[in-house]
């Protein structure tokens, strides 16, 4: 007889919140004190649990993607400059500018357009449509046992 499941309906909301914090399936397993295979079984057996994980991870991944995009393209935000001038605190509103970050841009492009931006160069022998190239084969004979010619092609005596 199978052991009763440890799963509770409240786990779905807990998993969603944990995934918003960036938890992986392995970390969820640690939190719920089960192994990762159990988390995978719960995803299959309990649709609300699976959907909660997808929603939480989707939001978290979207936020990270947005931040990466801002780093890659550059961004700005309001910032107060606080100084003491002649014994008085002066607050000046400013705009802080961040230039595009080359590393973030490369990472973004390698993941979004990997065929154009990957580091690996494919030296495959393929035709223009991805088909295998036909390689001509030549039958070359360098000499004949019965040939009495020397290196210059002259027949010797």
């Amino acid at each position: 007889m199978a052991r009763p499941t440890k799963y509770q309906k409240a786990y779905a909301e807990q998993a969603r919140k944990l995934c918003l914090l960036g938890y992986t399936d392995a970390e969820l397993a640690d939190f719920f004190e089960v192994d990762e295979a159990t988390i995978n079984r719960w995803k299959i057996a309990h649709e609300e649990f699976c959907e909660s994980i997808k929603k939480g991870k989707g939001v978290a991944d979207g936020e990270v993607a947005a931040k990466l995009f801002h780093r890659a393209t550059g961004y700005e935000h309001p910032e107060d400059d606080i100084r003491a001038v002649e014994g008085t605190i002066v607050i000046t509103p400013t705009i802080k500018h961040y230039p595009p970050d080359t590393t973030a841009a490369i990472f973004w492009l390698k993941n979004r357009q990997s065929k154009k931006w990957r580091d690996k160069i494919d030296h495959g022998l393929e035709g223009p449509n991805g088909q295998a190239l036909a390689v001509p084969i030549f039958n070359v004979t360098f000499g004949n046992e019965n040939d009495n010619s020397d290196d210059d092609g002259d027949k010797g005596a």
Side-chain angles (χ1 to χ4, degrees):
M1 183 166 162
R3 183 171 40 151
T5 183
K6 184 182 172 185
Y7 180 79
Q8 300 172 21
K9 286 199 178 278
Y11 286 2
E13 182 61 15
Q14 286 177 316
R16 185 188 69 79
K17 289 177 180 177
L18 291 169
C19 288
L20 285 172
L21 297 173
Y23 272 50
T24 63
D25 286 359
E27 292 168 324
L28 288 174
D30 287 343
F31 179 83
F32 292 117
E33 298 178 344
V34 296
D35 62 18
E36 195 171 348
T38 300
I39 295 293
N40 291 328
R41 283 192 295 273
W42 288 354
K43 285 195 258 184
I44 294 167
H46 306 282
E47 187 176 337
E48 73 281 358
F49 184 73
C50 183
E51 290 304 313
S52 292
I53 289 174
K54 285 180 185 177
K55 286 178 186 172
K57 287 182 178 182
V59 170
D61 291 350
E63 287 182 25
V64 171
K67 301 293 184 196
L68 176 63
F69 179 78
H70 285 294
R71 284 292 301 263
T73 59
Y75 63 101
E76 55 188 40
H77 68 84
E79 182 176 273
D80 290 335
D81 180 45
I82 303 170
R83 297 173 190 235
V85 178
E86 298 176 8
T88 305
I89 295 178
V90 177
I91 300 173
T92 308
T94 63
I95 301 291
K96 177 97 176 186
H97 298 276
Y98 294 89
D101 181 293
T102 305
T103 304
I106 290 168
F107 183 81
W108 180 271
L109 290 169
K110 281 182 181 180
N111 284 285
R112 301 271 297 189
Q113 297 180 13
S114 60
K115 288 186 181 183
K116 291 182 182 178
W117 290 93
R118 66 182 173 187
D119 286 331
K120 179 183 173 191
I121 298 171
D122 189 6
H123 296 289
L125 298 175
E126 299 166 348
N129 297 328
Q131 310 129 311
L133 285 178
V135 179
I137 298 174
F138 298 97
N139 191 2
V140 179
T141 305
F142 290 103
N144 187 328
E145 290 178 14
N146 298 331
D147 186 5
N148 291 331
S149 61
D150 60 15
D151 288 341
D152 295 328
D154 296 334
K155 296 271 185 191

